[in-house]
Amino acid sequence: NPALTQIGAQMSKLTGVRAIMKDIIETLRAGAGQQFINLSAGNPLILPEVEQLWRDCTAQLLASPEYGEVVCRYGSSQGYTPLVEAIANDFNKRYGLNLSERNILITPGSQTLYFYAVNSFGGYTPSGELKQIVLPLSPDYTGYGGICLVPKALIAYKPTLDIDEAAHRFKYRPDFSQLSITEDTGCVLFSRPCNPTGNVLTDDEVKKIAALAAPYNLPVLIDSAYAPPFPALNFTEMTPVFGDNILHCMSLSKAGLPGERVGIAIGDEKWIEVLECFQANIGLHSSRYGQAIAALAINSGALVEISHTVIRPFYQNKFSVLETSLEQAMPKDLPWFLHRGEGAIFAWLWLEDLPISDWEFYQQLKQVGVIIVPGSTFFPGLEEEWAHKHQCFRISLTGTDEEIATAMQRLAKVAEEAYKGA
Ligand code: PLP
């Protein structure tokens, strides 16, 4: 083993769902002859209309005199100016904001943006105080688990559960009786819509969190990777919430451009400047080709249009297929609860009092050719023991309708056996 620094050792570990992905890849490789229904993917599907949009924008870029400027030259750390302007114009018009270019930063994917942010605002201050990175509602995005250079700075809070027993549905809510944002907090971070649960915090819940943070002059990062206006993967009404202490963070990955790595931060100039300097030190700037085609798709309105007419209905329909299949297949007397499908590209299933662990259930499901993700990896920052962490599963909506239906039938059988065996 190479001699590594503390940070080297920490960053070279696979965290969260990446560790499980390794097991999944090995399973798929080892079972070459076996047909698996793989509902583990975090990768969005390639939708033909969306691919065509990016192809058309690329053709337009190739034909324009701007091409050389885009790919043959370095640019500013803040981002490619036409993209920054396109976002400012679009958001000012759409949401009645007053953004200037200084309020916007483009990063190579939003994962990178969270790395800059949590390490700028969370961790040790020069005087040795530990500033916490607060996740107000756990479970949340597994990727938050690997980005803090001071891991103990990450603190997550257990939610409360709204349970509809008769309908076999539930929904997480922030537990405001526990959530603590104080002078020890460095920043607040959550995804809305949420990966893995599909939860959408209400506008009021978001405003309440922002208000709790307001006295401390710290940013509330709202990870809007699935939010409107693009990719608009919300199946319930939601309005992006802006405010003086909110850093609104977006990604083009779920709008068909994950390979190009485009993340966007919108917020107060003083924070954008910090993140921009961090980016200049780490990697100068994002790749400009992705930014240039994004500028074209935003300015023409095509990206918003295709988000609403293609991307959202596609995944919303997958969720209905999953919901219907589970309802038909699951025995009524089992305590199964599906999280309300309010957005994103996943379903989140809770098997209350499951007699085996989520990991064991995942292994048993593999035996019948179905792969989903055990839920315990989606609680970064929540150290305390909580049985619920081992009773949940993330099911990706990226299968075909038939695959989803078959997988839910097999899952129902495995669940029935597991409860019976208790
Ligand atoms: N945030 C959430 C909630 C995600 O689901 C993902 C990717 O799956 C990311 C951030 C990171 O996306 P990217 O770095 O591609 O923008």
Tab-separated table of all heavy atoms in Angstrom, residues 42 108-112 114 141 144 191 193 195 223 225-226 250-254 258 261-263 346, ligand 1:
chain	number	residue	atom	x	y	z
A	42	GLY	N	-27.921	4.761	-10.967
A	42	GLY	CA	-28.147	6.172	-10.715
A	42	GLY	C	-28.039	6.934	-12.023
A	42	GLY	O	-28.335	8.121	-12.100
A	108	PRO	N	-17.592	21.754	-12.783
A	108	PRO	CA	-17.634	20.486	-13.525
A	108	PRO	C	-18.530	19.469	-12.817
A	108	PRO	O	-18.056	18.607	-12.095
A	108	PRO	CB	-16.183	20.019	-13.554
A	108	PRO	CG	-15.433	20.900	-12.620
A	108	PRO	CD	-16.314	21.985	-12.114
A	109	GLY	N	-19.820	19.595	-12.989
A	109	GLY	CA	-20.799	18.744	-12.302
A	109	GLY	C	-21.104	19.341	-10.938
A	109	GLY	O	-20.313	20.115	-10.376
A	110	SER	N	-22.252	18.970	-10.374
A	110	SER	CA	-22.613	19.573	-9.091
A	110	SER	C	-21.921	18.872	-7.926
A	110	SER	O	-21.729	19.456	-6.870
A	110	SER	CB	-24.127	19.594	-8.902
A	110	SER	OG	-24.660	18.287	-8.854
A	111	GLN	N	-21.503	17.625	-8.117
A	111	GLN	CA	-20.762	16.919	-7.055
A	111	GLN	C	-19.539	17.758	-6.646
A	111	GLN	O	-19.240	17.910	-5.466
A	111	GLN	CB	-20.314	15.549	-7.587
A	111	GLN	CG	-19.536	14.702	-6.616
A	111	GLN	CD	-20.425	13.951	-5.627
A	111	GLN	OE1	-21.626	13.825	-5.823
A	111	GLN	NE2	-19.829	13.466	-4.567
A	112	THR	N	-18.847	18.289	-7.632
A	112	THR	CA	-17.667	19.132	-7.391
A	112	THR	C	-18.045	20.391	-6.621
A	112	THR	O	-17.334	20.828	-5.714
A	112	THR	CB	-17.060	19.536	-8.748
A	112	THR	OG1	-17.074	18.412	-9.590
A	112	THR	CG2	-15.662	20.056	-8.612
A	114	TYR	N	-20.438	20.695	-4.493
A	114	TYR	CA	-20.647	20.383	-3.080
A	114	TYR	C	-19.318	20.163	-2.368
A	114	TYR	O	-19.167	20.505	-1.200
A	114	TYR	CB	-21.593	19.173	-2.913
A	114	TYR	CG	-22.910	19.442	-3.599
A	114	TYR	CD1	-23.388	18.641	-4.633
A	114	TYR	CD2	-23.643	20.583	-3.258
A	114	TYR	CE1	-24.557	18.956	-5.298
A	114	TYR	CE2	-24.808	20.907	-3.920
A	114	TYR	CZ	-25.260	20.083	-4.945
A	114	TYR	OH	-26.406	20.417	-5.611
A	141	TYR	N	-28.814	12.275	-0.259
A	141	TYR	CA	-27.889	11.848	-1.311
A	141	TYR	C	-26.612	11.217	-0.727
A	141	TYR	O	-25.915	11.837	0.063
A	141	TYR	CB	-27.563	13.057	-2.191
A	141	TYR	CG	-26.559	12.809	-3.285
A	141	TYR	CD1	-26.654	11.708	-4.123
A	141	TYR	CD2	-25.503	13.698	-3.482
A	141	TYR	CE1	-25.733	11.490	-5.126
A	141	TYR	CE2	-24.579	13.499	-4.497
A	141	TYR	CZ	-24.692	12.394	-5.309
A	141	TYR	OH	-23.774	12.178	-6.295
A	144	TYR	N	-23.025	12.902	-0.491
A	144	TYR	CA	-22.597	13.871	0.525
A	144	TYR	C	-21.644	13.226	1.532
A	144	TYR	O	-20.969	13.916	2.276
A	144	TYR	CB	-23.798	14.457	1.289
A	144	TYR	CG	-24.847	15.152	0.443
A	144	TYR	CD1	-26.194	15.164	0.834
A	144	TYR	CD2	-24.503	15.811	-0.732
A	144	TYR	CE1	-27.162	15.801	0.079
A	144	TYR	CE2	-25.471	16.445	-1.500
A	144	TYR	CZ	-26.796	16.434	-1.093
A	144	TYR	OH	-27.757	17.060	-1.846
A	191	SER	N	-31.152	17.713	-0.716
A	191	SER	CA	-31.584	17.617	-2.104
A	191	SER	C	-33.107	17.728	-2.189
A	191	SER	O	-33.828	17.216	-1.335
A	191	SER	CB	-31.091	16.327	-2.762
A	191	SER	OG	-31.590	15.179	-2.132
A	193	PRO	N	-36.016	17.835	-5.492
A	193	PRO	CA	-36.396	16.510	-5.019
A	193	PRO	C	-35.191	15.715	-4.528
A	193	PRO	O	-34.073	15.958	-4.949
A	193	PRO	CB	-37.001	15.853	-6.256
A	193	PRO	CG	-37.450	16.967	-7.144
A	193	PRO	CD	-36.490	18.081	-6.886
A	195	ASN	N	-32.776	12.510	-3.900
A	195	ASN	CA	-32.225	11.203	-4.209
A	195	ASN	C	-31.711	10.685	-2.871
A	195	ASN	O	-30.846	11.334	-2.300
A	195	ASN	CB	-31.075	11.364	-5.214
A	195	ASN	CG	-30.253	10.096	-5.381
A	195	ASN	OD1	-30.568	9.058	-4.829
A	195	ASN	ND2	-29.170	10.185	-6.142
A	223	ASP	N	-29.815	21.412	-3.158
A	223	ASP	CA	-29.368	20.591	-4.279
A	223	ASP	C	-30.582	20.319	-5.169
A	223	ASP	O	-31.452	19.515	-4.843
A	223	ASP	CB	-28.768	19.294	-3.719
A	223	ASP	CG	-28.311	18.330	-4.805
A	223	ASP	OD1	-28.679	18.510	-5.976
A	223	ASP	OD2	-27.586	17.380	-4.456
A	225	ALA	N	-30.722	19.100	-8.278
A	225	ALA	CA	-30.341	18.278	-9.434
A	225	ALA	C	-31.549	17.732	-10.203
A	225	ALA	O	-31.449	17.422	-11.385
A	225	ALA	CB	-29.451	17.123	-8.981
A	226	TYR	N	-32.712	17.611	-9.506
A	226	TYR	CA	-33.917	17.072	-10.168
A	226	TYR	C	-35.034	18.110	-10.268
A	226	TYR	O	-36.158	17.773	-10.646
A	226	TYR	CB	-34.438	15.860	-9.374
A	226	TYR	CG	-33.424	14.743	-9.264
A	226	TYR	CD1	-32.507	14.699	-8.229
A	226	TYR	CD2	-33.367	13.733	-10.226
A	226	TYR	CE1	-31.556	13.697	-8.141
A	226	TYR	CE2	-32.425	12.722	-10.146
A	226	TYR	CZ	-31.528	12.713	-9.108
A	226	TYR	OH	-30.586	11.711	-9.029
A	250	MET	N	-27.632	23.534	-9.140
A	250	MET	CA	-28.281	22.737	-10.193
A	250	MET	C	-27.248	21.876	-10.920
A	250	MET	O	-26.051	22.037	-10.764
A	250	MET	CB	-28.955	23.663	-11.197
A	250	MET	CG	-29.987	24.581	-10.570
A	250	MET	SD	-30.950	25.395	-11.833
A	250	MET	CE	-29.737	26.378	-12.634
A	251	SER	N	-27.789	20.999	-11.754
A	251	SER	CA	-26.951	20.084	-12.513
A	251	SER	C	-27.631	19.835	-13.856
A	251	SER	O	-28.855	19.825	-13.931
A	251	SER	CB	-26.858	18.767	-11.739
A	251	SER	OG	-26.363	17.744	-12.564
A	252	LEU	N	-26.832	19.630	-14.894
A	252	LEU	CA	-27.443	19.248	-16.182
A	252	LEU	C	-27.413	17.738	-16.379
A	252	LEU	O	-27.812	17.229	-17.417
A	252	LEU	CB	-26.722	19.943	-17.332
A	252	LEU	CG	-26.917	21.457	-17.406
A	252	LEU	CD1	-26.299	22.011	-18.677
A	252	LEU	CD2	-28.392	21.822	-17.367
A	253	SER	N	-26.962	17.009	-15.336
A	253	SER	CA	-26.778	15.568	-15.510
A	253	SER	C	-28.081	14.832	-15.763
A	253	SER	O	-28.135	13.887	-16.536
A	253	SER	CB	-26.082	14.984	-14.292
A	253	SER	OG	-24.803	15.554	-14.166
A	254	LYS	N	-29.157	15.245	-15.096
A	254	LYS	CA	-30.418	14.549	-15.278
A	254	LYS	C	-31.206	15.152	-16.433
A	254	LYS	O	-32.310	14.716	-16.740
A	254	LYS	CB	-31.231	14.566	-13.977
A	254	LYS	CG	-30.444	14.088	-12.754
A	254	LYS	CD	-29.836	12.705	-12.968
A	254	LYS	CE	-29.099	12.120	-11.766
A	254	LYS	NZ	-27.835	12.744	-11.362
A	258	PRO	N	-24.951	14.119	-18.360
A	258	PRO	CA	-24.060	13.768	-17.242
A	258	PRO	C	-22.601	13.662	-17.660
A	258	PRO	O	-21.705	13.974	-16.885
A	258	PRO	CB	-24.597	12.408	-16.765
A	258	PRO	CG	-25.371	11.849	-17.897
A	258	PRO	CD	-25.921	13.043	-18.650
A	261	ARG	N	-20.505	17.020	-17.439
A	261	ARG	CA	-20.186	17.576	-16.127
A	261	ARG	C	-20.473	19.068	-16.063
A	261	ARG	O	-19.564	19.910	-16.117
A	261	ARG	CB	-18.709	17.316	-15.750
A	261	ARG	CG	-18.167	15.935	-16.030
A	261	ARG	CD	-18.931	14.824	-15.332
A	261	ARG	NE	-18.975	14.956	-13.897
A	261	ARG	CZ	-20.126	14.962	-13.193
A	261	ARG	NH1	-21.290	14.822	-13.795
A	261	ARG	NH2	-20.103	15.095	-11.903
A	262	VAL	N	-21.738	19.433	-15.975
A	262	VAL	CA	-22.090	20.849	-15.803
A	262	VAL	C	-22.911	21.011	-14.527
A	262	VAL	O	-24.015	20.482	-14.408
A	262	VAL	CB	-22.881	21.400	-17.008
A	262	VAL	CG1	-23.145	22.904	-16.815
A	262	VAL	CG2	-22.135	21.169	-18.317
A	263	GLY	N	-22.348	21.724	-13.567
A	263	GLY	CA	-23.066	22.093	-12.341
A	263	GLY	C	-23.189	23.611	-12.296
A	263	GLY	O	-22.375	24.322	-12.892
A	346	PHE	N	-36.139	7.665	-8.727
A	346	PHE	CA	-36.082	6.492	-7.862
A	346	PHE	C	-37.383	6.320	-7.100
A	346	PHE	O	-38.123	7.282	-6.893
A	346	PHE	CB	-34.965	6.659	-6.821
A	346	PHE	CG	-33.647	7.030	-7.406
A	346	PHE	CD1	-33.206	8.345	-7.377
A	346	PHE	CD2	-32.857	6.067	-8.015
A	346	PHE	CE1	-31.989	8.697	-7.948
A	346	PHE	CE2	-31.646	6.407	-8.585
A	346	PHE	CZ	-31.207	7.726	-8.554
B	1	PLP	N1	-27.008	15.622	-6.172
B	1	PLP	C1	-27.898	14.641	-6.310
B	1	PLP	C2	-29.112	14.654	-5.467
B	1	PLP	C3	-27.672	13.609	-7.240
B	1	PLP	O1	-28.565	12.619	-7.359
B	1	PLP	C4	-26.487	13.624	-8.012
B	1	PLP	C5	-26.189	12.532	-8.964
B	1	PLP	O2	-26.774	11.496	-8.976
B	1	PLP	C6	-25.593	14.676	-7.829
B	1	PLP	C7	-25.889	15.654	-6.912
B	1	PLP	C8	-24.313	14.772	-8.589
B	1	PLP	O3	-24.556	15.052	-9.925
B	1	PLP	P1	-23.541	15.737	-10.919
B	1	PLP	O4	-22.195	15.842	-10.255
B	1	PLP	O5	-23.542	14.865	-12.106
B	1	PLP	O6	-24.118	17.104	-11.190
